């Protein structure tokens, strides 16, 4: 599936409807999650050493037993926008048949990652934020801010959006990039944002050891924060003192303890993970009037859900291109036989050759 296929999906389905569907699908997947049926591994990979700021290249796998494995290869290169004109996060999502190991699908993960990260924050915010929340503050006005705003606007009737970024161009341009939402995005100082916001999303490229990115001094008593930017050991966005007085809910505990906000506090100070929160929302209802945090490090289950959603729409709309990448077909015991076979001429031929 190419970029043009994804564009067609958004055109046909609509950005709002697609986000709403993803929020529903992710909520359902979390509510019905069974560790005996779905195995999620924390991400692993390589650090990419750059002179000015560390990046990484990682893989994020999840398996539905007896069905498929979804793997996202994702890079975090914080200097990309400035030096290369590329997104900070670049990714590809792939889907494999567990019975045969056959690669079933390969698609862009840049758009998918932005969508699912926003949707995850919407799910957590709906469980943890005060029902009366109307003002959203965005700390960090890059690509993630767009889908954070879009997703949260689908579950809360926002009346005001406050934006802060150390990059003035990003702060001033956010209103243009989110104009399709019809919301008033106001560039403000960090102090004003902290004082007035009911919900805050931090999605920054702060350097390792450079946090926190907010002071935490004048926050509302019921503030809910989606901390999106922590994805490396030593890279954090929120003050430790604020975390210690809040209910901190990680998306994936094993991962968040290593590279999320949870690395700042003791394991016994960490609250429910996202699966537990969604399965038992009434238990945590009283916290909606107190300080809460969603520690969003990136959960492979979210990648599985968004990949399935986009593939479902692609199949319905007849999108996607069949490519014979694997040397399968012919004599399974002779690796050279495939070189003597004619090329498959259709998707049906490819499926017949691979048994999928």
């Amino acid at each position: 599936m190419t970029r043009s296929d994804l564009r067609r999906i958004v055109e046909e389905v609509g950005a709002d409807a697609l986000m709403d569907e993803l929020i529903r699908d992710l909520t359902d997947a979390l509510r019905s999650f069974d560790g005996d049926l779905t195995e999620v591994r924390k991400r692993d990979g390589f650090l990419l050493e750059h002179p000015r700021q560390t990046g990484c290249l990682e893989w994020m796998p999840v398996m539905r037993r007896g069905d498929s494995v979804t793997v996202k290869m994702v890079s975090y290169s914080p200097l990309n926008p400035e030096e290369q004109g590329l997104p900070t996060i670049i990714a590809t999502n792939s889907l494999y048949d567990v019975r045969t190991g056959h690669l079933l699908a390969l698609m862009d993960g840049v758009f998918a990652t932005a969508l699912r990260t926003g949707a995850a924050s919407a799910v957590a915010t709906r469980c943890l934020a005060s029902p009366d929340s109307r003002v959203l503050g965005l700390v960090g006005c890059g690509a993630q801010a767009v889908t954070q705003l879009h997703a949260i606007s689908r579950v809360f009737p926002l009346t005001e959006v406050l934006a802060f970024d150390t990059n003035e161009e990003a702060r001033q341009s956010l209103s243009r990039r989110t104009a399709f939402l019809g919301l008033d995005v106001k560039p403000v100082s960090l102090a004003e944002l902290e004082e007035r916001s009911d919900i805050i999303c931090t999605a920054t490229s702060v350097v390792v050891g450079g946090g926190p990115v907010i002071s935490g001094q004048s926050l509302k008593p019921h503030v809910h924060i989606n901390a999106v930017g922590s994805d490396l050991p030593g890279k954090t966005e929120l003050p430790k003192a604020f975390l210690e007085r809040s209910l901190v809910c990680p998306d994936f505990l094993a991962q968040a303890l290593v590279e999320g906000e949870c690395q700042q506090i003791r394991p016994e100070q960490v609250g429910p993970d996202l699966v537990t929160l969604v399965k038992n929302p009434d238990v945590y209802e009283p916290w909606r009037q107190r300080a809460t945090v969603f520690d969003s490090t990136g959960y492979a289950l979210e990648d599985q859900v968004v990949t399935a959603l986009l593939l479902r729409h692609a199949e319905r709309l007849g999108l996607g291109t069949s490519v014979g990448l694997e040397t399968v077909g012919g004599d399974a015991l002779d690796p050279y036989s495939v070189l003597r076979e004619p090329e498959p001429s259709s998707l049906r031929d490819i499926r017949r050759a691979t048994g999928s």
Side-chain angles (χ1 to χ4, degrees), residues 269-280:
Q269 294 177 296
V270 178
D273 63 12
L274 189 57
V275 167
T276 304
L277 180 66
V278 172
K279 285 179 180 285
N280 306 279

Side-chain angles (χ1 to χ4, degrees), residues 19-191:
M19 182 62 82
D20 291 346
E21 190 174 2
L22 179 55
I23 292 170
R24 286 195 302 270
D25 285 1
L26 181 56
T27 301
D28 290 344
L30 292 162
R31 187 179 291 130
S32 62
F33 181 81
D34 183 340
D36 291 332
L37 301 177
T38 302
E39 182 179 350
V40 184
R41 299 283 184 89
K42 66 181 181 180
R43 62 176 168 236
D44 199 358
F46 302 102
L47 289 180
L48 305 179
E49 300 292 346
H50 299 294
R52 292 166 52 198
Q53 195 164 349
T54 300
C56 60
L57 178 64
E58 302 174 312
W59 43 93
M60 301 176 64
V62 54
M63 178 173 67
R64 293 174 57 191
R65 296 189 184 280
D67 183 73
S68 61
V69 169
T70 301
V71 180
K72 180 169 76 173
M73 288 293 302
V74 56
S75 68
Y76 168 70
S77 301
L79 300 180
N80 266 2
E82 175 188 344
E83 296 184 349
Q84 307 294 335
L86 295 171
T88 300
I89 294 173
I90 296 181
T92 52
N93 293 5
S94 54
L95 183 70
Y96 297 84
D97 184 341
V98 298
R99 297 165 300 173
T100 64
H102 171 51
L103 174 64
L104 298 172
L106 183 66
M107 70 170 68
D108 160 72
V110 179
F111 178 65
T113 298
L115 275 186
R116 63 79 149 151
T117 306
S121 287
V123 172
T125 302
R126 189 163 53 187
C127 292
L128 294 172
S130 167
D132 298 324
S133 297
R134 297 294 182 268
V135 180
L136 173 66
L138 298 170
V139 180
C141 297
Q144 291 293 332
V146 177
T147 48
Q148 291 290 306
L149 174 54
H150 186 196
I152 292 171
S153 73
R154 303 306 299 168
V155 296
F156 277 85
L158 302 176
T159 59
E160 198 170 6
V161 181
L162 311 178
F164 173 81
D165 198 303
T166 56
N167 183 317
E168 186 63 22
E169 181 180 352
R171 177 164 63 160
Q172 294 296 335
S173 68
L174 183 61
S175 60
R176 172 182 55 78
R177 289 179 277 126
T178 57
F180 70 100
L181 298 174
L183 294 168
D184 179 29
V185 178
K186 179 183 177 184
V188 297
S189 67
L190 182 58

